[in-house]
Amino acid sequence: MVQNKTGFSKLSKEEKINWIAEKHFSNPKEAVNLLQRYQNFDASLQKLHDEFIENTLTNFYLPLGVAPNFEINGKNYTIPMAIEESSVVAAASKAAKFWSARGGFKTIILGTEKIGQVHFLYEGDTQKLIEYFNFVKPFLFSEVDSITKNMQKRGGGISDIQLIDKTAALENYYQLHANFQTKDSMGANFINSCLEQFAKTFKNKSEAFGMPSIQIVMSILSNFVPNCVVRAEVSCPVSELNEDKNNTSSEFAEKFLTAVKIAEVEPYRAVTHNKGIMNGIDAVVLATGNDFRAVEAGVHAFASKNGSYTSLSHAKIENGIFTFWLEVPLALGTVGGLTNLHPLVKFSLEMLGNPSATELMEIVAVAGLAQNFAALRSLTTSGIQQGHMKMHLNNILNQHQATKEEKLLVVAHFENQTVSHNLVVDFLERLRTN
Ligand code: MEV
């Protein structure tokens, strides 16, 4: 069945699948069959997923793994991780075990403030605008009463609203810049609803005040949250650091420190260094139903807040003690959004003991620090390819439909050899032709 593109969203799911299969695939039957194999046999679960987004065709799986043995502020956690990259979960688990024998991870919340802005243009006298802002400010608060009531009961709400003059950056450009506390919710809906009401109030009252030229451009939260930050840290005596026979503890510690310093001064390295941190952060953010795009955007803006992109983690050695820490902005929620809807998100949160949003910030930051520690330890000792390609080997074998027997032979062959995609495929082909 071929359908006109303009009515696509109106088609049933089956009609959409058929339309796509016929339009874009040389073997439409095969394409339909693939999409069907990914549908959940539980119709109500499938319906739930279908309705998360628009034009759903099927599900797109990511593995959900766990990293056990995390000791955070004296409490034990098994951390859920949704990620497609091999080695990440293994690295987190290894780092968790390593640090649980050395006092575990310590964390502290440095702030929980969220930000939203009403962006507007105004052509008149700035002093008059300031007077108008002072007049309208109480109305900005009172006219969002119905929106803020519940949040206030939970201890959150709007902490402040300021008028910001941005005309030096862009002609006639001003903002209402508001600070929010959103407790256990990420707060996007709450903040955006407040902002849209601020914009209405601000515009509505302006004419009576003789300020007709205010033009609202947009109202939206900011994903840059430099005051919604958590710090995670590990430390131990340098002498207890080493597990590698080829280096002494202090050689390892010094090299590790240098690797961190390189990421602090060299943006090319900092981006990769931080990517490793995000391997841990994103996996937990995703498993707990949080918005990883918001977290990514905010984290990288934070990493460049002083004008050049730098490492999110830092390390020092003082009086024989090695300390490694990370500070990251994380706007997370444990209520609202997907948290009540996605059964695996509920599962992940229950596995974590149904944490508050701040406790989740701590767990997520720890996952990032653990990942960074594991990556730097590999990079400054054996290199990452040895471990990484061994894990990758399984993916290559699966990709080439290797049998159990073939897998055993290939794994044995590459036990002491560098793994590369070509070498594995060559070896597999030789096995199959002999
Ligand atoms: C790979 O996903 C992440 C690393 O590149 C991180 C790093 O280099 O620190 C290993």
Side-chain angles (χ1 to χ4, degrees):
M1 182 200 51
V2 177
Q3 282 285 335
N4 187 324
K5 209 162 97 186
T6 52
F8 186 79
S9 69
K10 305 281 182 308
L11 298 180
S12 70
K13 184 172 164 186
E14 202 190 341
E15 287 168 334
K16 283 180 187 136
I17 290 175
N18 289 334
W19 188 84
I20 294 284
E22 278 174 30
K23 185 170 160 61
H24 295 291
F25 292 84
S26 55
N27 186 340
K29 255 197 186 142
E30 201 176 82
V32 171
N33 187 31
L34 178 70
L35 294 180
Q36 271 161 0
R37 283 170 59 212
Y38 275 90
Q39 308 284 342
N40 201 288
F41 65 90
D42 178 335
S44 65
L45 204 57
Q46 187 55 54
K47 187 165 181 295
L48 185 74
H49 284 74
D50 285 351
E51 290 175 3
F52 283 153
I53 61 164
E54 309 75 37
N55 294 342
T56 308
L57 299 181
T58 191
N59 307 305
F60 192 98
Y61 294 148
L62 277 185
L64 175 68
V66 291
N69 299 314
F70 270 94
E71 186 99 3
I72 306 175
N73 303 328
K75 193 169 158 188
N76 186 275
Y77 293 89
T78 300
I79 298 189
M81 302 180 85
I83 187 160
E84 85 301 342
E85 185 175 332
S86 58
S87 299
V88 168
V89 175
S93 307
K94 218 169 146 196
K97 203 163 166 208
F98 180 92
W99 283 108
S100 69
R102 292 162 179 80
F105 293 83
K106 307 278 186 307
T107 63
I108 182 164
I109 299 289
L110 301 175
T112 55
E113 182 188 86
K114 315 269 169 67
I115 286 161
Q117 297 166 321
V118 177
H119 305 270
F120 66 95
L121 299 179
Y122 165 73
E123 283 185 28
D125 172 37
T126 305
Q127 196 48 43
K128 184 136 196 240
L129 183 65
I130 294 170
E131 277 164 34
Y132 172 59
F133 174 71
N134 290 333
F135 157 78
V136 83
K137 195 170 173 180
F139 295 102
L140 295 177
F141 279 99
S142 63
E143 292 194 5
V144 290
D145 256 1
S146 60
I147 306 170
T148 55
K149 211 182 251 162
N150 274 340
M151 188 58 85
Q152 274 167 351
K153 270 192 217 148
R154 304 199 327 247
I158 305 157
S159 5
D160 195 15
I161 310 171
Q162 297 143 315
L163 172 70
I164 311 274
D165 182 344
K166 299 287 287 185
T167 52
L170 184 68
E171 202 179 10
N172 302 329
Y173 171 35
Y174 295 84
Q175 301 167 348
L176 298 180
H177 182 101
N179 308 111
F180 300 86
Q181 291 292 339
T182 61
K183 301 309 283 181
D184 286 333
S185 67
M186 190 263 193
N189 278 334
F190 169 71
I191 295 172
N192 289 333
S193 300
C194 289
L195 293 170
E196 288 188 4
Q197 182 56 51
F198 292 163
K200 275 187 202 145
T201 307
F202 196 65
K203 179 71 188 158
N204 287 347
K205 301 226 176 282
S206 64
E207 289 195 21
F209 203 86
M211 312 273 296
S213 83
I214 287 175
Q215 188 194 338
I216 305 290
V217 179
M218 59 188 163
S219 312
I220 187 74
L221 93 169
S222 173
N223 292 122
F224 183 38
V225 282
N227 296 319
C228 184
V229 174
V230 54
R231 176 187 164 105
E233 180 182 304
V234 283
S235 67
C236 74
V238 168
S239 57
E240 287 175 19
L241 258 186
N242 201 26
E243 283 182 327
D244 177 359
K245 328 168 250 327
N246 299 322
N247 291 294
T248 67
S249 278
S250 61
E251 274 168 356
F252 169 73
E254 289 297 342
K255 207 166 170 194
F256 191 100
L257 235 69
T258 306
V260 175
K261 282 195 185 126
I262 289 171
E264 285 170 345
V265 299
E266 164 54 52
Y268 280 96
R269 172 58 201 149
V271 171
T272 317
H273 177 99
N274 290 347
K275 187 275 181 186
I277 293 171
M278 299 316 287
N279 278 344
I281 290 183
D282 280 343
V284 191
V285 167
L286 210 51
T288 55
N290 276 282
D291 183 341
F292 65 93
R293 288 87 56 209
V295 168
E296 281 280 347
V299 164
H300 298 297
F302 186 78
S304 47
K305 69 180 189 310
N306 295 329
S308 88
Y309 192 92
T310 184
S311 168
L312 293 161
S313 65
H314 307 280
K316 63 178 181 186
I317 300 172
E318 266 173 22
N319 305 321
I321 304 290
F322 168 87
T323 307
F324 179 46
W325 74 97
L326 167 82
E327 283 178 16
V328 265
L330 290 170
L332 302 177
T334 53
V335 299
L338 266 197
T339 56
N340 300 327
L341 284 177
H342 196 304
L344 285 176
V345 168
K346 280 202 224 172
F347 170 91
S348 296
L349 289 170
E350 188 172 344
M351 192 164 71
L352 291 172
N354 289 322
S356 62
T358 49
E359 191 179 352
L360 185 60
M361 283 168 74
E362 295 172 317
I363 296 165
V364 169
V366 163
L369 187 68
Q371 208 61 48
N372 194 210
F373 178 77
L376 291 182
R377 186 166 60 168
S378 295
L379 287 168
T380 55
T381 55
S382 58
I384 57 157
Q385 283 313 88
Q386 192 186 324
H388 202 80
M389 291 313 283
K390 289 256 154 70
M391 301 287 288
H392 192 47
L393 181 58
N394 203 37
N395 286 346
I396 302 172
L397 290 171
N398 285 339
Q399 203 182 326
H400 291 272
Q401 281 95 34
T403 63
K404 230 180 181 175
E405 290 72 28
E406 284 173 339
K407 279 185 181 175
L408 286 174
L409 289 168
V410 175
V411 169
H413 178 79
F414 284 95
E415 184 65 41
N416 297 310
Q417 268 212 57
T418 311
V419 176
S420 81
H421 191 276
N422 281 351
L423 286 176
V424 175
V425 175
D426 279 355
F427 186 76
L428 203 55
E429 274 170 7
R430 264 185 280 131
L431 275 182
R432 285 172 177 175
T433 48
N434 284 335

